[in-house]
Amino acid sequence: MDLFDYMANTQKEKEAPLAARMRPQTLDEVVGQEEIIGKDKLLYRAIKADRLSSIVLYGPPGVGKTTLAKVIANTTAADFHQVNATIAGKKDMEAVVAKAKENLGGYGRKTILFIDEIHRFNKAQQDYLLPYVEDGTVILIGATTENPYFEVNGALLSRSRIFELKPLSKDNILTLIRRSFTSDRGVKAFHADITDDAAEFLADVADGDARAALNAIELAVLTTNPSEDGMIHIDLKVAQECIQKKVIRYDKTGDNHYDTIAAFIESMCGSDPDAALYYLARMLAAGEDVKYIARRMLVAASEEVGNADPMAICVAASAAIAVERVGMPEGRIILAQAAAYIASAPKSNASYLGIEKALKTVRETGNIPIPPYLQDSSYKGAAKLGRGVGYKYAHNYPNHWVEQQYLPDQIKEERFYEPNDIGHEQEIKEYFRSIGKDPERYRYEAPGGNPERPWEDR
């Protein structure tokens, strides 16, 4: 670094935003994340001992992913390189790898490569890094706001340890706010202070995002005139003007989308209309596609309620049509009615379990011949082939039912649909008993008693 670069970097540090200036430089300065960097935790010990292996830091914005990487940079004896996946290309990776090979071969020195927003790298870019991570040429630190199991190369993940960073607590944010007024790297030089209620407000509205709180403080200090005592006083009114309302974190293609829709469906399944309406409100407030919500409710009405209340699918279908025709904001009422109905209805997943078992049987047994008497007999000469011969027409018998085998011989004892003892399905079982069918003859237990239910296609 020449004199001009040094001066540029020095000036850059002075002019950096408060959140950047207040970034912790040592492990002991880090606030929060005790679950992964507490003094008895693996990551803390690995950083202190400078024995770090490849890791992926995963969590929402403002929780300390980049901060932790910077702390590692300040702690390690390894060569540290940082790139941002939003602007870096393969040439940047090649340059780092070439330098890493030189460090390792010529000086026995390790190289740490920190990739911010690693989920923005495409598969080819991630694949390029794989052999160098595997053979130890580079130690990878990846940071991502997206679930790495969906966004990062599986082979790369298998060679890394994943650490999930949680949103900071209100107390954590308060600690950082107060520190920013007393630290030389903060706003101390501005002779500023903050009232307790203003600090509490900012810590609450920041919603676990330290950057949001510090940005608000910086804006407040820079836009508030000193009082007669020469001090800049940040009170509640100023704080409220300098931070936006609490933002709902919600990416329509990311974790929040899938987590929220899953919680919505599970709440309806669990017969909790309050929770269902809450998660519905979160999706609506975040601008989720109402047609998507309606489609998920259609699935839930069949999968979770089924024939325990056959009206559930009718209500869901009517809601899907109505909300498309009415639009928003009135559509929220229609969706709320349908969600509350589905959540309050008796539950049965017998139809879901039935089709899953039937599909499994089809995959395992293939095209088993259909009994000839059930085959099409509408064409000339069908009887000569035995088609339809011996078929018993149910309506010709008492109760419009007659004992007859409908399944192929090889699986004639299988049972796919098993109505439960709740809601309308109890009536179905009673009907079966009344005509002579035994609804308890066979029992189908789902594997593990808890079948996988894919809500959505990732």
Side-chain angles (χ1 to χ4, degrees):
M1 182 183 296
D2 60 24
L3 178 60
F4 294 104
D5 288 333
Y6 173 78
M7 292 300 294
N9 281 345
T10 302
Q11 188 64 25
K12 184 178 178 182
E13 288 177 6
K14 289 180 180 178
E15 299 297 329
L18 176 62
R21 301 199 309 271
M22 287 301 299
R23 183 165 279 146
Q25 298 177 348
T26 68
L27 267 178
D28 294 331
E29 289 183 6
V30 176
V31 175
Q33 310 304 342
E34 292 84 0
E35 299 86 356
I36 63 172
I37 54 170
K39 291 191 176 181
D40 60 337
K41 301 299 181 181
L42 172 66
L43 186 56
Y44 179 92
R45 299 197 308 270
I47 294 171
K48 280 290 190 179
D50 200 7
R51 302 288 294 176
L52 193 70
S53 58
S54 291
I55 61 173
V56 173
L57 303 174
Y58 158 49
V63 297
K65 300 184 295 295
T66 304
T67 291
L68 199 49
K70 294 287 188 181
V71 166
I72 292 169
N74 294 335
T75 306
T76 184
D79 200 15
F80 188 92
H81 294 268
Q82 176 179 351
V83 298
N84 191 302
T86 58
I87 56 175
K90 188 176 178 182
K91 286 186 177 180
D92 299 286
M93 298 298 99
E94 289 173 342
V96 173
V97 168
K99 182 66 175 174
K101 288 179 178 178
E102 180 184 331
N103 285 337
L104 195 61
Y107 309 102
R109 187 181 183 189
K110 297 177 182 178
T111 298
I112 293 177
L113 172 59
F114 171 50
I115 303 178
D116 204 4
E117 308 287 347
I118 191 172
H119 61 277
R120 298 293 186 92
F121 268 174
N122 59 36
K123 185 177 185 300
Q125 289 171 308
Q126 293 185 33
D127 284 344
Y128 173 77
L129 287 172
L130 182 59
Y132 305 112
V133 172
E134 187 170 19
D135 67 12
T137 301
V138 296
I139 297 169
L140 173 67
I141 301 177
T144 175
T145 56
E146 301 296 328
N147 191 324
Y149 289 104
F150 295 103
E151 304 295 341
V152 180
N153 185 319
L156 211 53
L157 284 183
S158 69
R159 291 158 178 81
S160 308
R161 191 177 183 95
I162 298 172
F163 293 96
E164 182 176 3
L165 280 68
K166 304 291 186 180
L168 299 179
S169 69
K170 182 177 178 179
D171 286 341
N172 293 153
I173 301 291
L174 278 171
T175 298
L176 292 172
I177 288 173
R178 293 188 176 114
R179 183 185 292 177
S180 72
F181 283 88
T182 58
S183 170
D184 291 332
R185 302 201 310 266
V187 294
K188 182 180 179 180
F190 290 87
H191 304 290
D193 61 19
I194 187 169
T195 62
D196 288 342
D197 56 351
E200 290 273 347
F201 170 78
L202 290 177
D204 183 53
V205 178
D207 199 24
D209 186 339
R211 190 182 298 114
L214 294 175
N215 286 344
I217 288 170
E218 184 169 37
L219 180 60
V221 170
L222 293 178
T223 58
T224 304
N225 293 322
S227 299
E228 293 181 359
D229 61 0
M231 295 286 291
I232 295 175
H233 300 292
I234 308 302
D235 59 17
L236 180 58
K237 182 180 178 181
V238 173
Q240 288 172 334
E241 291 174 345
C242 292
I243 193 168
Q244 295 178 339
K245 68 176 182 178
K246 191 173 290 187
V247 175
I248 307 230
R249 292 198 183 104
Y250 197 89
D251 179 352
K252 292 182 184 178
T253 61
D255 287 346
N256 284 302
H257 164 80
Y258 294 105
D259 290 344
T260 310
I261 195 67
F264 175 56
I265 294 171
E266 294 290 6
S267 299
M268 290 190 291
C269 172
S271 298
D272 191 332
D274 298 313
L277 291 178
Y278 168 73
Y279 291 115
L280 172 62
R282 279 181 60 157
M283 290 187 288
L284 294 175
E288 180 60 85
D289 183 358
V290 293
K291 290 183 286 186
Y292 174 78
I293 297 173
R295 289 197 301 271
R296 293 297 91 203
M297 285 200 292
L298 282 166
V299 175
S302 273
E303 184 173 347
E304 309 298 352
V305 178
N307 287 331
D309 184 350
M311 277 300 297
I313 186 65
C314 300
V315 170
S318 296
I321 295 170
V323 78
E324 195 165 349
R325 292 183 180 177
V326 172
M328 292 295 284
E330 289 86 352
R332 75 191 189 284
I333 307 167
I334 297 166
L335 293 173
Q337 179 189 352
Y341 188 98
I342 295 168
S344 304
K347 302 297 186 296
S348 170
N349 65 346
S351 298
Y352 167 77
L353 294 179
I355 190 60
E356 289 301 294
K357 186 183 180 187
L359 285 169
K360 181 174 182 290
T361 300
V362 168
R363 287 193 295 268
E364 292 175 349
T365 59
N367 290 321
I368 301 174
I370 296 170
Y373 53 87
L374 295 181
Q375 296 180 20
D376 180 24
S377 60
S378 62
Y379 56 93
K380 188 177 180 180
K384 293 180 180 179
L385 297 175
R387 306 296 191 263
V389 176
Y391 171 66
K392 299 175 184 178
Y393 184 49
H395 296 293
N396 291 338
Y397 295 85
N399 296 318
H400 299 263
W401 179 80
V402 63
E403 183 75 42
Q404 183 171 226
Q405 180 186 322
Y406 292 92
L407 284 170
D409 286 340
Q410 292 92 325
I411 59 169
K412 64 181 181 179
E413 299 300 316
E414 287 288 358
R415 179 78 176 279
F416 298 110
Y417 178 59
E418 296 184 47
N420 290 310
D421 293 311
I422 189 169
H424 181 67
E425 284 198 333
Q426 189 172 21
E427 297 176 29
I428 293 174
K429 292 181 77 169
E430 289 301 323
Y431 164 71
F432 282 167
R433 290 191 184 97
S434 71
I435 62 175
K437 283 177 67 73
D438 182 4
E440 303 294 342
R441 212 169 74 186
Y442 312 106
R443 296 300 300 169
Y444 168 55
E445 294 295 335
N450 183 23
E452 180 183 355
R453 295 170 297 171
W455 298 124
E456 68 289 310
D457 296 323
R458 279 253 180 193

